[in-house]
Amino acid sequence: MAKKPIIGKLSGERILIFNNDGISRLNAKGYGELNDNFLSLSIIEGLYLLSKNWIKVKLNNKYLSFEELHDYAQNIDDKLCIKYLAYRDLRNRGYTVKTGLKYGSDYRVYSRENIDEVHSEYLVKVFSEDKPCAISELTGFVRVAHSVRKKLIIAIVDDDGDIVYYNMGYLRL
Amino acid sequence: MAKKPIIGKLSGERILIFNNDGISRLNAKGYGELNDNFLSLSIIEGLYLLSKNWIKVKLNNKYLSFEELHDYAQNIDDKLCIKYLAYRDLRNRGYTVKTGLKYGSDYRVYSRENIDEVHSEYLVKVFSEDKPCAISELTGFVRVAHSVRKKLIIAIVDDDGDIVYYNMGYLRL
Amino acid sequence: MAKKPIIGKLSGERILIFNNDGISRLNAKGYGELNDNFLSLSIIEGLYLLSKNWIKVKLNNKYLSFEELHDYAQNIDDKLCIKYLAYRDLRNRGYTVKTGLKYGSDYRVYSRENIDEVHSEYLVKVFSEDKPCAISELTGFVRVAHSVRKKLIIAIVDDDGDIVYYNMGYLRL
Amino acid sequence: MAKKPIIGKLSGERILIFNNDGISRLNAKGYGELNDNFLSLSIIEGLYLLSKNWIKVKLNNKYLSFEELHDYAQNIDDKLCIKYLAYRDLRNRGYTVKTGLKYGSDYRVYSRENIDEVHSEYLVKVFSEDKPCAISELTGFVRVAHSVRKKLIIAIVDDDGDIVYYNMGYLRL
């Protein structure tokens, strides 16, 4: 993908791609949601692709730097930083990563390129290691994942920005 | 064990049994630690055995009610209540339960009557569902259990006092 | 480093630096974690650098005072104050100080500038002298440090805010 | 020492031995304090020697069982149980153990039979692992031991009644 960056246009919480070649290149790698006339990326996808120099992001006829897009996203999602770090790590490991909102999680993850299959393999929720969390956030996550029969991943970002992955599940004694 | 209650004497954070018949009956069931001249129970063991009417607990020539012993223990350990609920539940399921302090956990658990085997099967840490917890408490617990090659149990006491058991572990992606 | 303060942006539990010159100056001194597009500082690093006037910290287009950042951090970590005092003292003595969370401690410490070496020299856990502590917190710390073959430091903050350092270890009798 | 038990008389907080042969046998092993006409044992020494069947303890012309002497001692010292467990363990390892009261500690310990030397090797303080302790109890102990130039031992009795020994000291950074 060492080609010329694809132009995306920032529109509210999405980044839209109208160029057909760009749409098919990004879609083939599992980025964005396909609409009739355009592909729409989440801002976290946009940050990742911008950091790789695969896209450029335009707002009001001006290209945004990584920092400007990050500032913009920060105002929308205050959990942005750790979510971005986890997204980047999972993508760098070769997984396809989509939003997990409809399952009350941060991401759903498909094993390498297998996104055509109906079901994601994992639901992912991201936590910061140095911030207290309600135990019920974890138990609720286990309950949801169990009820939709998906495996879950707890991604914990430590103070060094490293990410460690854990599973968790019910135990029958 | 529907015999006459065994007399235990409260001594600081331990309950001591001096009666030989009582010592052997309790020891056979995995309660207490055997010394040359006495068996010593932890206060949580004492609470459980008192609730079953297997022992009576004496302090200053007076027998303590369950409530009095619970108050006494509460002053020593403010996590007492949820730890007791988990202890009781595990014992009622037939497990032998010993302190897990030397592994940084609340309990180590042996499968039914199998305490003669050298190694406990599980390390248990007890949490209250509605209390925030430091994520590092969970990750530290996984690290310790992993390093001593034991399975771990996260016991979560919910608002109804019910206990749900979870496992947790590293995930290799 | 008597240059113009570097701008950092507060993002959840991290402070992000996007300026290239700032990134390299801070990174050279062992502050923060390097990502593709930015350097991310922990809030305690941020507090220290803010107190030295090396950085300024921005939230919603407003610069935070030391007090405002401290308040913000206090809400995330109620052990903040004594941890900050220990961090500052160790840094002022010339040590490089990073999070110790993955070893169940507060910090890991590298001797002066030696952070390129693979292994930290010490694990540090910070206590307040006038607050009761569970003995098992100390024994657990000794166990972990022993198992990863690192020296440990118990940093005790007294009522005057002074810090005294102790070692502790197993004794073979 | 598989001889006939020596008779001791319980007198307040001491157990007195008047028999000359008994005095010299016990004194040679480092038990008790020698007076003009008798040897006086602490109650913890008495419990230990009673458990070994080396002495019998008389009160009002009646011999006390181990349990009765333990009850008696419990009323005087509510830290009795863990102090006794530590005393027994140190003695069983071959150390000579004397009270450490004048150094604000529980015991002073002499290496095997070396009690003729002027200085004890260690000061010992006993803690229960499952009871919170004031950090200042530990730091005060380090300060005292340092000022009298003695090594210190922190003896921690866990919930299983096992004893683990730790050292602790100032660290110059």
Side-chain angles (χ1 to χ4, degrees), chain A residues 40-72:
Chain A
S40 100
L41 302 169
S42 74
I43 292 184
I44 282 186
E45 290 177 311
L47 278 169
Y48 182 72
L49 293 167
L50 183 56
S51 81
K52 297 284 186 205
N53 217 26
W54 293 348
I55 67 167
K56 298 179 78 166
V57 177
K58 215 174 184 172
L59 177 67
N60 303 330
N61 286 316
K62 195 183 145 295
Y63 288 113
L64 299 182
S65 67
F66 183 90
E67 179 178 0
E68 286 165 335
L69 184 57
H70 196 283
D71 284 354
Y72 182 93

Side-chain angles (χ1 to χ4, degrees), chain B residues 9-14 16 18-19 33 35-38 40 42 60 76-77 98-99 101-102 108, chain D residues 51-52 66-67 70-71 74-75 78 81-82 84-85 88 128-132 158-162:
Chain B
K9 289 178 178 171
L10 187 56
S11 172
E13 297 87 51
R14 308 294 296 171
L16 309 184
F18 292 94
N19 173 278
E33 296 304 315
N35 287 278
D36 295 343
N37 297 75
F38 54 86
S40 98
S42 73
N60 301 329
I76 297 173
D77 179 359
K98 311 297 278 183
T99 179
L101 265 180
K102 69 186 73 165
R108 50 188 214 278
Chain D
S51 80
K52 297 283 185 205
F66 183 89
E67 178 178 1
H70 197 283
D71 285 354
Q74 183 67 42
N75 289 330
D78 60 7
C81 179
I82 61 168
Y84 175 68
L85 290 173
R88 190 185 62 156
S128 171
E129 193 169 22
D130 54 356
K131 194 177 166 182
D158 71 18
D159 240 13
D160 288 343
D162 291 335

Side-chain angles (χ1 to χ4, degrees), chain B:
Chain B
M1 250 207 206
K3 306 198 179 173
K4 219 177 114 209
I6 300 154
I7 309 293
K9 289 178 178 171
L10 187 56
S11 172
E13 297 87 51
R14 308 294 296 171
I15 294 164
L16 309 184
I17 312 289
F18 292 94
N19 173 278
N20 284 331
D21 178 54
I23 290 173
S24 56
R25 276 158 60 203
L26 292 172
N27 191 43
K29 294 284 183 187
Y31 295 100
E33 296 304 315
L34 208 51
N35 287 278
D36 295 343
N37 297 75
F38 54 86
L39 183 88
S40 98
L41 302 169
S42 73
I43 290 184
I44 281 187
E45 290 177 311
L47 279 168
Y48 182 72
L49 293 167
L50 184 56
S51 79
K52 297 282 186 206
N53 217 26
W54 292 351
I55 67 167
K56 298 178 77 167
V57 177
K58 213 174 186 172
L59 177 68
N60 301 329
N61 288 314
K62 197 182 144 296
Y63 288 113
L64 300 182
S65 67
F66 184 87
E67 179 179 358
E68 286 166 334
L69 184 58
H70 196 282
D71 285 352
Y72 181 94
Q74 185 69 46
N75 287 331
I76 297 173
D77 179 359
D78 59 10
K79 203 180 155 186
L80 175 79
C81 179
I82 60 168
K83 276 174 66 179
Y84 175 68
L85 290 172
Y87 179 90
R88 190 185 60 162
D89 190 70
L90 288 163
R91 271 286 181 186
N92 286 347
R93 289 165 184 272
Y95 290 94
T96 298
V97 185
K98 311 297 278 183
T99 179
L101 265 180
K102 69 186 73 165
Y103 299 108
S105 64
D106 291 317
Y107 298 120
R108 50 188 214 278
V109 167
Y110 299 81
S111 91
R112 301 166 173 85
E113 318 274 313
N114 249 353
I115 193 170
D116 290 337
E117 289 180 26
V118 180
H119 299 306
S120 59
E121 288 190 274
Y122 296 105
L123 299 181
V124 180
K125 208 158 181 168
V126 186
F127 294 89
S128 172
E129 190 166 21
D130 49 17
K131 198 176 159 187
C133 94
I135 286 279
S136 59
E137 251 199 280
L138 293 170
T139 56
F141 185 32
V142 172
R143 184 175 14 80
V144 168
H146 186 79
S147 75
V148 297
R149 293 162 198 276
K150 288 191 192 300
K151 283 178 275 181
L152 68 77
I153 297 177
I154 294 167
I156 298 184
V157 181
D158 71 16
D159 263 0
D160 294 337
D162 291 334
I163 295 150
V164 184
Y165 298 97
Y166 298 85
N167 54 26
M168 187 171 178
Y170 292 119
L171 193 67
R172 309 266 161 255
L173 285 188

